[in-house]
Amino acid sequence: MTQAHGYAATSASTPLAPFTFDRREPGPQDVALDVLFCGVCHSDLHTARNEWGNTVYPAVPGHEIVGRVTAVGGLVSKFKVGDTVGVGCMVDSCQQCAPCTDGLEQYCDNGFTGTYNGHMFGNGPNTYGGYSSHMVVRESFVLHISHADADLAAVAPLLCAGITTYSPLRQWKVGPGHKVGIVGLGGLGHMGVKIAAAMGAHVVLFTTSEGKRADALRLGAKEVVVSKNAAEMAAHANSFDFILNTVAASHNLDAFMALLKLDGTMTLVGAPDSPHPSPNVFGLIMKRRRLAGSLIGGIRETQEMLDFCAQHGIVSDIERIRMDEVEAAYTRMLKSDVKYRFVVDMATL
Ligand code: NAP
Ligand code: ZN
């Protein structure tokens, strides 16, 4: 065992605070890494505050991790000491079920092991995430990073916000000639805008924040709609091929379903703590519209996304923070005041 330092929540109502814990020694198939940067995902906040009702305390969040390899096990072939690597939302899965063998570890029939608040090896100890000094991760869940060293802080959010938006955009074959809506300009949403634009789609950003209009255009949207404005919404009725909804709170989905054209799809990736009001059935059946969901992305697809982003010069727009500023970051996140991802510089731990 080695001693790791991190930041943990010890209950739903206590602020995150320094926490010391053990990490396993790297086994034959493991990669050990020092954490350089860790993005702050809204899921970290949902978990720290037990908003999904499944948090095991103490909870060390963080699943947008960029690090440097410090040791590798004897059977590791893809990584060596000194490599820059990424770790996302998963650190293990059964590797045997149909989804796992198809590279869809996030849908593992036996339940993948989350990077935090997961159970190691089926029913083992709780996992601790990237708000920490170092990690030990099975090789098959470690990603290669090819972006320049100067970009590494801004690469960290690709490991969750990047893949969670890339995967449904690929699944629904977004590309040139498609009109694509992205709902919510936060961590996920701003990556969705950049990636959908790079895929060649005509991107329309929906926001509740009037002040985000100029940023959305700069990030790659061709049009911006303030979703509280009914007239602006009505101008886009029946016109979208695909809408990706990243909103972290319960809201009226019908307002967006009405914007899909025949056979259009809206995919939900936002995971609010309370349900959305049920969508109107006639809104679905009259135009054969579809409402779908999507969970992060598999490891193979995450590597594909990282390489796609490196080729297209895509990183996240970030505000770098110290580890002891994470509570202030959560407070701003709750006010939709994020531009557009907080990233913890782990040297400040
Ligand atoms: P975030 O940075 O806080 O962004 C969420 C955005 O949603 C806000 O910036 C805001 O954008 C909009 N919003 C917030 N409250 C709203 C409300 N009441 N009504 C309408 N819009 C509202 O969060 P994030 O990190 O992008 O995460 C978004 C959600 O995705 C979270 O629930 C997170 O847990 C979930 N998530 C899911 C997956 C997955 O695999 N499916 C992976 C990662 C995260 P505007 O100011 O532009 O309106
Ligand atoms: Zn996340």
Side-chain angles (χ1 to χ4, degrees), residues 40-44 46 52 63 89 160-161 164 183-189 205-209 212 227 246-251 268-272 294-297 333-338 340-341:
V40 178
C41 179
H42 206 113
S43 302
D44 300 354
H46 289 308
W52 294 329
H63 60 203
C89 304
C160 173
T164 302
V183 188
L185 196 64
L188 266 55
L205 184 275
F206 294 92
T207 181
T208 57
S209 308
K212 291 182 182 174
S227 53
T246 75
V247 171
S250 167
H251 63 282
L268 305 178
V269 289
S294 184
L295 177 67
I296 42 176
M333 196 180 247
L334 286 172
K335 293 190 269 188
S336 300
D337 177 22
V338 185
Y340 280 91
R341 196 57 135 191

mmCIF file of all heavy atoms in Angstrom, residues 40-44 46 52 63 89 160-161 164 183-189 205-209 212 227 246-251 268-272 294-297 333-338 340-341, ligand 1:
data_model
loop_
_atom_site.group_PDB
_atom_site.id
_atom_site.type_symbol
_atom_site.label_atom_id
_atom_site.label_comp_id
_atom_site.label_asym_id
_atom_site.label_seq_id
_atom_site.Cartn_x
_atom_site.Cartn_y
_atom_site.Cartn_z
ATOM 1 N N VAL A 40 -13.633 19.292 -12.704
ATOM 2 C CA VAL A 40 -14.725 19.281 -11.716
ATOM 3 C C VAL A 40 -16.041 19.127 -12.473
ATOM 4 O O VAL A 40 -16.536 20.073 -13.084
ATOM 5 C CB VAL A 40 -14.722 20.576 -10.881
ATOM 6 C CG1 VAL A 40 -15.886 20.576 -9.894
ATOM 7 C CG2 VAL A 40 -13.392 20.722 -10.145
ATOM 8 N N CYS A 41 -16.584 17.895 -12.461
ATOM 9 C CA CYS A 41 -17.817 17.566 -13.180
ATOM 10 C C CYS A 41 -19.007 17.787 -12.251
ATOM 11 O O CYS A 41 -18.899 17.618 -11.036
ATOM 12 C CB CYS A 41 -17.755 16.099 -13.604
ATOM 13 S SG CYS A 41 -19.207 15.510 -14.486
ATOM 14 N N HIS A 42 -20.171 18.114 -12.843
ATOM 15 C CA HIS A 42 -21.367 18.270 -11.993
ATOM 16 C C HIS A 42 -21.695 16.951 -11.272
ATOM 17 O O HIS A 42 -22.275 16.959 -10.183
ATOM 18 C CB HIS A 42 -22.556 18.765 -12.827
ATOM 19 C CG HIS A 42 -23.567 19.526 -12.038
ATOM 20 N ND1 HIS A 42 -23.817 20.872 -12.203
ATOM 21 C CD2 HIS A 42 -24.376 19.132 -11.029
ATOM 22 C CE1 HIS A 42 -24.748 21.258 -11.345
ATOM 23 N NE2 HIS A 42 -25.107 20.219 -10.615
ATOM 24 N N SER A 43 -21.285 15.825 -11.851
ATOM 25 C CA SER A 43 -21.507 14.532 -11.180
ATOM 26 C C SER A 43 -20.734 14.456 -9.862
ATOM 27 O O SER A 43 -21.171 13.782 -8.918
ATOM 28 C CB SER A 43 -21.076 13.378 -12.089
ATOM 29 O OG SER A 43 -21.774 13.423 -13.309
ATOM 30 N N ASP A 44 -19.580 15.140 -9.787
ATOM 31 C CA ASP A 44 -18.816 15.181 -8.530
ATOM 32 C C ASP A 44 -19.673 15.817 -7.435
ATOM 33 O O ASP A 44 -19.715 15.348 -6.293
ATOM 34 C CB ASP A 44 -17.531 16.010 -8.679
ATOM 35 C CG ASP A 44 -16.579 15.487 -9.744
ATOM 36 O OD1 ASP A 44 -16.844 14.408 -10.307
ATOM 37 O OD2 ASP A 44 -15.578 16.181 -10.020
ATOM 38 N N HIS A 46 -23.084 16.164 -7.515
ATOM 39 C CA HIS A 46 -24.230 15.284 -7.215
ATOM 40 C C HIS A 46 -23.796 14.217 -6.201
ATOM 41 O O HIS A 46 -24.538 13.882 -5.279
ATOM 42 C CB HIS A 46 -24.708 14.557 -8.473
ATOM 43 C CG HIS A 46 -25.406 15.382 -9.530
ATOM 44 N ND1 HIS A 46 -26.477 16.201 -9.270
ATOM 45 C CD2 HIS A 46 -25.200 15.474 -10.872
ATOM 46 C CE1 HIS A 46 -26.904 16.756 -10.419
ATOM 47 N NE2 HIS A 46 -26.131 16.344 -11.404
ATOM 48 N N TRP A 52 -27.913 11.628 -5.709
ATOM 49 C CA TRP A 52 -28.468 10.433 -6.361
ATOM 50 C C TRP A 52 -28.748 9.331 -5.334
ATOM 51 O O TRP A 52 -29.140 8.220 -5.691
ATOM 52 C CB TRP A 52 -27.499 9.910 -7.438
ATOM 53 C CG TRP A 52 -27.297 10.835 -8.604
ATOM 54 C CD1 TRP A 52 -28.215 11.710 -9.132
ATOM 55 C CD2 TRP A 52 -26.115 10.972 -9.410
ATOM 56 N NE1 TRP A 52 -27.669 12.370 -10.207
ATOM 57 C CE2 TRP A 52 -26.386 11.946 -10.407
ATOM 58 C CE3 TRP A 52 -24.857 10.370 -9.394
ATOM 59 C CZ2 TRP A 52 -25.447 12.325 -11.366
ATOM 60 C CZ3 TRP A 52 -23.930 10.740 -10.353
ATOM 61 C CH2 TRP A 52 -24.221 11.710 -11.334
ATOM 62 N N HIS A 63 -13.277 12.489 -11.893
ATOM 63 C CA HIS A 63 -13.126 11.465 -12.937
ATOM 64 C C HIS A 63 -12.775 12.094 -14.287
ATOM 65 O O HIS A 63 -13.129 11.554 -15.339
ATOM 66 C CB HIS A 63 -14.352 10.537 -13.000
ATOM 67 C CG HIS A 63 -15.668 11.192 -13.287
ATOM 68 N ND1 HIS A 63 -16.870 10.632 -12.925
ATOM 69 C CD2 HIS A 63 -15.973 12.356 -13.899
ATOM 70 C CE1 HIS A 63 -17.854 11.423 -13.326
ATOM 71 N NE2 HIS A 63 -17.338 12.471 -13.927
ATOM 72 N N CYS A 89 -14.245 7.995 -16.271
ATOM 73 C CA CYS A 89 -15.249 7.661 -15.248
ATOM 74 C C CYS A 89 -15.207 6.214 -14.781
ATOM 75 O O CYS A 89 -15.896 5.869 -13.823
ATOM 76 C CB CYS A 89 -16.640 7.952 -15.794
ATOM 77 S SG CYS A 89 -16.826 9.656 -16.345
ATOM 78 N N CYS A 160 -14.459 13.157 -19.259
ATOM 79 C CA CYS A 160 -15.889 12.898 -19.006
ATOM 80 C C CYS A 160 -16.737 13.786 -19.903
ATOM 81 O O CYS A 160 -17.516 13.291 -20.715
ATOM 82 C CB CYS A 160 -16.262 13.088 -17.539
ATOM 83 S SG CYS A 160 -18.060 12.966 -17.289
ATOM 84 N N ALA A 161 -16.610 15.116 -19.787
ATOM 85 C CA ALA A 161 -17.462 16.007 -20.594
ATOM 86 C C ALA A 161 -17.251 15.749 -22.085
ATOM 87 O O ALA A 161 -18.213 15.775 -22.864
ATOM 88 C CB ALA A 161 -17.146 17.466 -20.261
ATOM 89 N N THR A 164 -18.756 12.104 -23.009
ATOM 90 C CA THR A 164 -20.205 12.027 -22.797
ATOM 91 C C THR A 164 -20.975 12.750 -23.899
ATOM 92 O O THR A 164 -22.125 12.401 -24.196
ATOM 93 C CB THR A 164 -20.566 12.603 -21.419
ATOM 94 O OG1 THR A 164 -19.852 11.872 -20.428
ATOM 95 C CG2 THR A 164 -22.049 12.515 -21.128
ATOM 96 N N VAL A 183 -28.323 21.620 -25.508
ATOM 97 C CA VAL A 183 -29.071 22.319 -24.464
ATOM 98 C C VAL A 183 -28.195 22.441 -23.220
ATOM 99 O O VAL A 183 -27.770 21.433 -22.648
ATOM 100 C CB VAL A 183 -30.386 21.587 -24.116
ATOM 101 C CG1 VAL A 183 -31.224 22.446 -23.172
ATOM 102 C CG2 VAL A 183 -31.176 21.254 -25.378
ATOM 103 N N GLY A 184 -27.946 23.691 -22.798
ATOM 104 C CA GLY A 184 -27.149 23.966 -21.599
ATOM 105 C C GLY A 184 -25.697 24.236 -21.958
ATOM 106 O O GLY A 184 -25.037 23.394 -22.577
ATOM 107 N N LEU A 185 -25.209 25.420 -21.600
ATOM 108 C CA LEU A 185 -23.794 25.723 -21.868
ATOM 109 C C LEU A 185 -23.020 25.667 -20.551
ATOM 110 O O LEU A 185 -22.685 26.677 -19.948
ATOM 111 C CB LEU A 185 -23.629 27.082 -22.554
ATOM 112 C CG LEU A 185 -22.250 27.281 -23.196
ATOM 113 C CD1 LEU A 185 -22.017 26.291 -24.325
ATOM 114 C CD2 LEU A 185 -22.063 28.701 -23.708
ATOM 115 N N GLY A 186 -22.780 24.432 -20.111
ATOM 116 C CA GLY A 186 -21.910 24.196 -18.958
ATOM 117 C C GLY A 186 -20.737 23.357 -19.432
ATOM 118 O O GLY A 186 -20.323 23.454 -20.590
ATOM 119 N N GLY A 187 -20.212 22.499 -18.542
ATOM 120 C CA GLY A 187 -19.058 21.678 -18.882
ATOM 121 C C GLY A 187 -19.342 20.752 -20.056
ATOM 122 O O GLY A 187 -18.604 20.726 -21.042
ATOM 123 N N LEU A 188 -20.425 19.973 -19.967
ATOM 124 C CA LEU A 188 -20.768 19.062 -21.058
ATOM 125 C C LEU A 188 -21.175 19.854 -22.297
ATOM 126 O O LEU A 188 -20.722 19.579 -23.410
ATOM 127 C CB LEU A 188 -21.915 18.123 -20.637
ATOM 128 C CG LEU A 188 -21.511 16.762 -20.056
ATOM 129 C CD1 LEU A 188 -20.567 16.882 -18.882
ATOM 130 C CD2 LEU A 188 -22.729 15.941 -19.683
ATOM 131 N N GLY A 189 -22.059 20.833 -22.101
ATOM 132 C CA GLY A 189 -22.618 21.561 -23.234
ATOM 133 C C GLY A 189 -21.559 22.244 -24.085
ATOM 134 O O GLY A 189 -21.616 22.190 -25.322
ATOM 135 N N LEU A 205 -27.198 26.508 -29.977
ATOM 136 C CA LEU A 205 -27.042 26.345 -28.530
ATOM 137 C C LEU A 205 -28.258 26.911 -27.818
ATOM 138 O O LEU A 205 -28.683 28.042 -28.111
ATOM 139 C CB LEU A 205 -25.756 27.055 -28.091
ATOM 140 C CG LEU A 205 -25.288 26.965 -26.638
ATOM 141 C CD1 LEU A 205 -25.938 27.999 -25.742
ATOM 142 C CD2 LEU A 205 -25.463 25.565 -26.029
ATOM 143 N N PHE A 206 -28.823 26.137 -26.907
ATOM 144 C CA PHE A 206 -29.942 26.582 -26.067
ATOM 145 C C PHE A 206 -29.417 26.863 -24.674
ATOM 146 O O PHE A 206 -28.769 26.011 -24.065
ATOM 147 C CB PHE A 206 -31.017 25.501 -25.988
ATOM 148 C CG PHE A 206 -31.689 25.229 -27.294
ATOM 149 C CD1 PHE A 206 -31.211 24.240 -28.148
ATOM 150 C CD2 PHE A 206 -32.791 25.974 -27.687
ATOM 151 C CE1 PHE A 206 -31.820 23.994 -29.372
ATOM 152 C CE2 PHE A 206 -33.412 25.740 -28.914
ATOM 153 C CZ PHE A 206 -32.926 24.743 -29.756
ATOM 154 N N THR A 207 -29.706 28.040 -24.183
ATOM 155 C CA THR A 207 -29.222 28.414 -22.857
ATOM 156 C C THR A 207 -30.315 29.122 -22.071
ATOM 157 O O THR A 207 -31.235 29.695 -22.663
ATOM 158 C CB THR A 207 -27.969 29.321 -22.985
ATOM 159 O OG1 THR A 207 -27.495 29.656 -21.688
ATOM 160 C CG2 THR A 207 -28.263 30.622 -23.740
ATOM 161 N N THR A 208 -30.202 29.072 -20.748
ATOM 162 C CA THR A 208 -31.083 29.881 -19.905
ATOM 163 C C THR A 208 -30.380 31.184 -19.511
ATOM 164 O O THR A 208 -30.975 32.023 -18.837
ATOM 165 C CB THR A 208 -31.474 29.122 -18.612
ATOM 166 O OG1 THR A 208 -30.268 28.766 -17.912
ATOM 167 C CG2 THR A 208 -32.269 27.865 -18.915
ATOM 168 N N SER A 209 -29.122 31.319 -19.910
ATOM 169 C CA SER A 209 -28.304 32.454 -19.473
ATOM 170 C C SER A 209 -28.062 33.407 -20.644
ATOM 171 O O SER A 209 -27.234 33.122 -21.519
ATOM 172 C CB SER A 209 -26.963 31.961 -18.929
ATOM 173 O OG SER A 209 -27.151 30.970 -17.947
ATOM 174 N N LYS A 212 -24.552 34.222 -21.995
ATOM 175 C CA LYS A 212 -23.658 33.241 -22.627
ATOM 176 C C LYS A 212 -23.722 33.267 -24.154
ATOM 177 O O LYS A 212 -23.044 32.474 -24.815
ATOM 178 C CB LYS A 212 -23.972 31.823 -22.108
ATOM 179 C CG LYS A 212 -23.605 31.618 -20.636
ATOM 180 C CD LYS A 212 -23.883 30.186 -20.174
ATOM 181 C CE LYS A 212 -23.556 29.980 -18.697
ATOM 182 N NZ LYS A 212 -23.967 28.629 -18.215
ATOM 183 N N SER A 227 -33.697 29.812 -24.078
ATOM 184 C CA SER A 227 -34.829 28.880 -24.063
ATOM 185 C C SER A 227 -36.033 29.381 -23.278
ATOM 186 O O SER A 227 -37.129 28.857 -23.421
ATOM 187 C CB SER A 227 -34.376 27.519 -23.536
ATOM 188 O OG SER A 227 -33.726 27.672 -22.295
ATOM 189 N N THR A 246 -27.998 18.487 -21.981
ATOM 190 C CA THR A 246 -27.009 18.304 -20.908
ATOM 191 C C THR A 246 -27.440 18.913 -19.578
ATOM 192 O O THR A 246 -26.634 18.977 -18.646
ATOM 193 C CB THR A 246 -25.654 18.967 -21.295
ATOM 194 O OG1 THR A 246 -25.762 20.386 -21.165
ATOM 195 C CG2 THR A 246 -25.223 18.621 -22.712
ATOM 196 N N VAL A 247 -28.694 19.361 -19.494
ATOM 197 C CA VAL A 247 -29.110 20.136 -18.318
ATOM 198 C C VAL A 247 -29.111 19.278 -17.045
ATOM 199 O O VAL A 247 -29.617 18.160 -17.034
ATOM 200 C CB VAL A 247 -30.495 20.767 -18.568
ATOM 201 C CG1 VAL A 247 -31.056 21.402 -17.306
ATOM 202 C CG2 VAL A 247 -30.393 21.791 -19.692
ATOM 203 N N ALA A 248 -28.565 19.851 -15.975
ATOM 204 C CA ALA A 248 -28.382 19.118 -14.719
ATOM 205 C C ALA A 248 -29.578 19.242 -13.782
ATOM 206 O O ALA A 248 -29.514 18.832 -12.632
ATOM 207 C CB ALA A 248 -27.111 19.625 -14.024
ATOM 208 N N ALA A 249 -30.704 19.812 -14.262
ATOM 209 C CA ALA A 249 -31.878 20.011 -13.399
ATOM 210 C C ALA A 249 -33.132 19.546 -14.132
ATOM 211 O O ALA A 249 -33.183 19.521 -15.364
ATOM 212 C CB ALA A 249 -32.002 21.490 -13.034
ATOM 213 N N SER A 250 -34.157 19.187 -13.344
ATOM 214 C CA SER A 250 -35.441 18.776 -13.903
ATOM 215 C C SER A 250 -36.059 19.949 -14.669
ATOM 216 O O SER A 250 -36.045 21.085 -14.211
ATOM 217 C CB SER A 250 -36.346 18.368 -12.736
ATOM 218 O OG SER A 250 -37.666 18.253 -13.176
ATOM 219 N N HIS A 251 -36.570 19.689 -15.880
ATOM 220 C CA HIS A 251 -37.222 20.764 -16.658
ATOM 221 C C HIS A 251 -38.189 20.152 -17.674
ATOM 222 O O HIS A 251 -38.231 18.928 -17.855
ATOM 223 C CB HIS A 251 -36.172 21.643 -17.350
ATOM 224 C CG HIS A 251 -35.334 20.922 -18.357
ATOM 225 N ND1 HIS A 251 -34.293 20.101 -17.996
ATOM 226 C CD2 HIS A 251 -35.389 20.865 -19.711
ATOM 227 C CE1 HIS A 251 -33.738 19.584 -19.087
ATOM 228 N NE2 HIS A 251 -34.389 20.027 -20.144
ATOM 229 N N LEU A 268 -30.820 12.501 -23.763
ATOM 230 C CA LEU A 268 -30.549 13.099 -22.451
ATOM 231 C C LEU A 268 -29.226 12.563 -21.925
ATOM 232 O O LEU A 268 -29.023 11.342 -21.881
ATOM 233 C CB LEU A 268 -31.655 12.726 -21.455
ATOM 234 C CG LEU A 268 -33.097 13.046 -21.843
ATOM 235 C CD1 LEU A 268 -34.049 12.547 -20.749
ATOM 236 C CD2 LEU A 268 -33.280 14.541 -22.067
ATOM 237 N N VAL A 269 -28.340 13.461 -21.526
ATOM 238 C CA VAL A 269 -27.146 13.047 -20.781
ATOM 239 C C VAL A 269 -27.119 13.682 -19.387
ATOM 240 O O VAL A 269 -26.483 13.145 -18.483
ATOM 241 C CB VAL A 269 -25.820 13.320 -21.537
ATOM 242 C CG1 VAL A 269 -25.674 12.377 -22.720
ATOM 243 C CG2 VAL A 269 -25.699 14.761 -21.971
ATOM 244 N N GLY A 270 -27.804 14.807 -19.212
ATOM 245 C CA GLY A 270 -27.923 15.408 -17.877
ATOM 246 C C GLY A 270 -28.628 14.435 -16.947
ATOM 247 O O GLY A 270 -29.523 13.705 -17.370
ATOM 248 N N ALA A 271 -28.216 14.404 -15.689
ATOM 249 C CA ALA A 271 -28.732 13.408 -14.737
ATOM 250 C C ALA A 271 -29.231 14.097 -13.467
ATOM 251 O O ALA A 271 -28.600 14.025 -12.423
ATOM 252 C CB ALA A 271 -27.630 12.401 -14.403
ATOM 253 N N PRO A 272 -30.377 14.805 -13.559
ATOM 254 C CA PRO A 272 -30.861 15.569 -12.406
ATOM 255 C C PRO A 272 -31.269 14.676 -11.233
ATOM 256 O O PRO A 272 -31.546 13.488 -11.423
ATOM 257 C CB PRO A 272 -32.083 16.317 -12.943
ATOM 258 C CG PRO A 272 -32.425 15.740 -14.250
ATOM 259 C CD PRO A 272 -31.262 14.924 -14.737
ATOM 260 N N SER A 294 -27.925 8.433 -22.853
ATOM 261 C CA SER A 294 -26.578 7.957 -23.170
ATOM 262 C C SER A 294 -25.685 8.144 -21.951
ATOM 263 O O SER A 294 -25.784 9.154 -21.244
ATOM 264 C CB SER A 294 -26.027 8.750 -24.365
ATOM 265 O OG SER A 294 -24.772 8.254 -24.767
ATOM 266 N N LEU A 295 -24.839 7.153 -21.715
ATOM 267 C CA LEU A 295 -23.928 7.177 -20.564
ATOM 268 C C LEU A 295 -22.476 7.238 -21.051
ATOM 269 O O LEU A 295 -22.072 6.380 -21.864
ATOM 270 C CB LEU A 295 -24.144 5.913 -19.726
ATOM 271 C CG LEU A 295 -23.243 5.717 -18.508
ATOM 272 C CD1 LEU A 295 -23.537 6.768 -17.453
ATOM 273 C CD2 LEU A 295 -23.444 4.325 -17.916
ATOM 274 N N ILE A 296 -21.739 8.208 -20.609
ATOM 275 C CA ILE A 296 -20.318 8.431 -20.974
ATOM 276 C C ILE A 296 -19.977 7.799 -22.334
ATOM 277 O O ILE A 296 -20.638 8.102 -23.331
ATOM 278 C CB ILE A 296 -19.345 8.029 -19.840
ATOM 279 C CG1 ILE A 296 -19.741 6.704 -19.163
ATOM 280 C CG2 ILE A 296 -19.281 9.154 -18.832
ATOM 281 C CD1 ILE A 296 -18.782 6.197 -18.090
ATOM 282 N N GLY A 297 -19.003 6.916 -22.410
ATOM 283 C CA GLY A 297 -18.638 6.217 -23.650
ATOM 284 C C GLY A 297 -17.657 5.128 -23.275
ATOM 285 O O GLY A 297 -17.073 5.159 -22.184
ATOM 286 N N MET A 333 -21.042 26.507 -9.717
ATOM 287 C CA MET A 333 -21.649 25.561 -10.656
ATOM 288 C C MET A 333 -23.170 25.530 -10.479
ATOM 289 O O MET A 333 -23.919 25.469 -11.446
ATOM 290 C CB MET A 333 -21.055 24.173 -10.381
ATOM 291 C CG MET A 333 -21.260 23.172 -11.469
ATOM 292 S SD MET A 333 -20.502 21.625 -10.943
ATOM 293 C CE MET A 333 -19.187 21.520 -12.100
ATOM 294 N N LEU A 334 -23.606 25.598 -9.233
ATOM 295 C CA LEU A 334 -25.048 25.572 -8.957
ATOM 296 C C LEU A 334 -25.751 26.804 -9.491
ATOM 297 O O LEU A 334 -26.960 26.796 -9.698
ATOM 298 C CB LEU A 334 -25.298 25.427 -7.448
ATOM 299 C CG LEU A 334 -25.016 24.033 -6.903
ATOM 300 C CD1 LEU A 334 -25.096 24.024 -5.377
ATOM 301 C CD2 LEU A 334 -25.986 23.016 -7.498
ATOM 302 N N LYS A 335 -24.992 27.871 -9.722
ATOM 303 C CA LYS A 335 -25.579 29.095 -10.284
ATOM 304 C C LYS A 335 -25.367 29.175 -11.796
ATOM 305 O O LYS A 335 -25.525 30.238 -12.388
ATOM 306 C CB LYS A 335 -24.951 30.324 -9.598
ATOM 307 C CG LYS A 335 -25.342 30.434 -8.120
ATOM 308 C CD LYS A 335 -24.914 31.770 -7.525
ATOM 309 C CE LYS A 335 -23.538 31.643 -6.926
ATOM 310 N NZ LYS A 335 -23.083 32.800 -6.157
ATOM 311 N N SER A 336 -24.991 28.052 -12.419
ATOM 312 C CA SER A 336 -24.673 28.014 -13.861
ATOM 313 C C SER A 336 -23.561 28.994 -14.219
ATOM 314 O O SER A 336 -23.483 29.488 -15.340
ATOM 315 C CB SER A 336 -25.912 28.294 -14.730
ATOM 316 O OG SER A 336 -26.910 27.348 -14.486
ATOM 317 N N ASP A 337 -22.714 29.298 -13.253
ATOM 318 C CA ASP A 337 -21.633 30.260 -13.451
ATOM 319 C C ASP A 337 -20.298 29.519 -13.591
ATOM 320 O O ASP A 337 -19.458 29.546 -12.698
ATOM 321 C CB ASP A 337 -21.606 31.231 -12.255
ATOM 322 C CG ASP A 337 -20.459 32.218 -12.344
ATOM 323 O OD1 ASP A 337 -19.953 32.449 -13.453
ATOM 324 O OD2 ASP A 337 -20.059 32.746 -11.284
ATOM 325 N N VAL A 338 -20.155 28.823 -14.723
ATOM 326 C CA VAL A 338 -18.929 28.063 -14.983
ATOM 327 C C VAL A 338 -18.463 28.417 -16.382
ATOM 328 O O VAL A 338 -19.256 28.372 -17.322
ATOM 329 C CB VAL A 338 -19.203 26.535 -14.955
ATOM 330 C CG1 VAL A 338 -17.902 25.779 -15.097
ATOM 331 C CG2 VAL A 338 -19.930 26.131 -13.699
ATOM 332 N N TYR A 340 -15.621 27.158 -18.798
ATOM 333 C CA TYR A 340 -16.831 26.350 -18.827
ATOM 334 C C TYR A 340 -16.568 25.036 -18.129
ATOM 335 O O TYR A 340 -17.390 24.140 -18.145
ATOM 336 C CB TYR A 340 -17.322 26.183 -20.275
ATOM 337 C CG TYR A 340 -18.072 27.460 -20.681
ATOM 338 C CD1 TYR A 340 -17.423 28.524 -21.282
ATOM 339 C CD2 TYR A 340 -19.420 27.617 -20.350
ATOM 340 C CE1 TYR A 340 -18.105 29.700 -21.580
ATOM 341 C CE2 TYR A 340 -20.104 28.784 -20.649
ATOM 342 C CZ TYR A 340 -19.437 29.816 -21.258
ATOM 343 O OH TYR A 340 -20.111 30.975 -21.542
ATOM 344 N N ARG A 341 -15.400 24.951 -17.485
ATOM 345 C CA ARG A 341 -15.096 23.822 -16.618
ATOM 346 C C ARG A 341 -14.031 24.266 -15.626
ATOM 347 O O ARG A 341 -13.025 24.878 -16.024
ATOM 348 C CB ARG A 341 -14.536 22.668 -17.460
ATOM 349 C CG ARG A 341 -14.532 21.319 -16.777
ATOM 350 C CD ARG A 341 -15.857 20.881 -16.300
ATOM 351 N NE ARG A 341 -16.214 19.504 -16.578
ATOM 352 C CZ ARG A 341 -17.426 19.028 -16.398
ATOM 353 N NH1 ARG A 341 -18.405 19.813 -15.941
ATOM 354 N NH2 ARG A 341 -17.696 17.772 -16.653
HETATM 355 P P1 NAP B 1 -22.728 22.113 -15.493
HETATM 356 O O1 NAP B 1 -21.343 22.500 -15.923
HETATM 357 O O2 NAP B 1 -23.230 22.562 -14.183
HETATM 358 O O3 NAP B 1 -23.713 22.582 -16.686
HETATM 359 C C1 NAP B 1 -25.099 22.365 -16.653
HETATM 360 C C2 NAP B 1 -25.789 23.503 -17.439
HETATM 361 O O4 NAP B 1 -27.189 23.250 -17.464
HETATM 362 C C3 NAP B 1 -25.679 24.854 -16.780
HETATM 363 O O5 NAP B 1 -24.481 25.535 -17.051
HETATM 364 C C4 NAP B 1 -26.875 25.592 -17.369
HETATM 365 O O6 NAP B 1 -26.556 26.071 -18.676
HETATM 366 C C5 NAP B 1 -27.886 24.486 -17.518
HETATM 367 N N1 NAP B 1 -28.854 24.516 -16.396
HETATM 368 C C6 NAP B 1 -28.599 24.377 -15.083
HETATM 369 N N2 NAP B 1 -29.723 24.454 -14.361
HETATM 370 C C7 NAP B 1 -30.710 24.595 -15.239
HETATM 371 C C8 NAP B 1 -32.122 24.705 -15.125
HETATM 372 N N3 NAP B 1 -32.734 24.684 -13.928
HETATM 373 N N4 NAP B 1 -32.858 24.824 -16.259
HETATM 374 C C9 NAP B 1 -32.248 24.851 -17.456
HETATM 375 N N5 NAP B 1 -30.911 24.778 -17.623
HETATM 376 C C10 NAP B 1 -30.162 24.638 -16.533
HETATM 377 O O7 NAP B 1 -22.876 20.529 -15.454
HETATM 378 P P2 NAP B 1 -22.109 19.405 -16.332
HETATM 379 O O8 NAP B 1 -20.892 18.995 -15.620
HETATM 380 O O9 NAP B 1 -22.077 19.836 -17.736
HETATM 381 O O10 NAP B 1 -23.124 18.185 -16.150
HETATM 382 C C11 NAP B 1 -24.451 18.275 -16.647
HETATM 383 C C12 NAP B 1 -25.258 17.063 -16.197
HETATM 384 O O11 NAP B 1 -24.785 15.906 -16.899
HETATM 385 C C13 NAP B 1 -25.141 16.725 -14.704
HETATM 386 O O12 NAP B 1 -26.409 16.287 -14.247
HETATM 387 C C14 NAP B 1 -24.143 15.581 -14.691
HETATM 388 O O13 NAP B 1 -24.272 14.744 -13.562
HETATM 389 C C15 NAP B 1 -24.549 14.864 -15.943
HETATM 390 N N6 NAP B 1 -23.534 13.967 -16.510
HETATM 391 C C16 NAP B 1 -23.989 12.869 -17.156
HETATM 392 C C17 NAP B 1 -23.104 12.007 -17.765
HETATM 393 C C18 NAP B 1 -23.599 10.832 -18.541
HETATM 394 O O14 NAP B 1 -22.826 9.907 -18.796
HETATM 395 N N7 NAP B 1 -24.844 10.811 -18.966
HETATM 396 C C19 NAP B 1 -21.723 12.266 -17.675
HETATM 397 C C20 NAP B 1 -21.300 13.417 -17.019
HETATM 398 C C21 NAP B 1 -22.212 14.273 -16.436
HETATM 399 P P3 NAP B 1 -27.145 27.462 -19.214
HETATM 400 O O15 NAP B 1 -26.634 28.515 -18.279
HETATM 401 O O16 NAP B 1 -26.566 27.541 -20.575
HETATM 402 O O17 NAP B 1 -28.629 27.328 -19.223
#
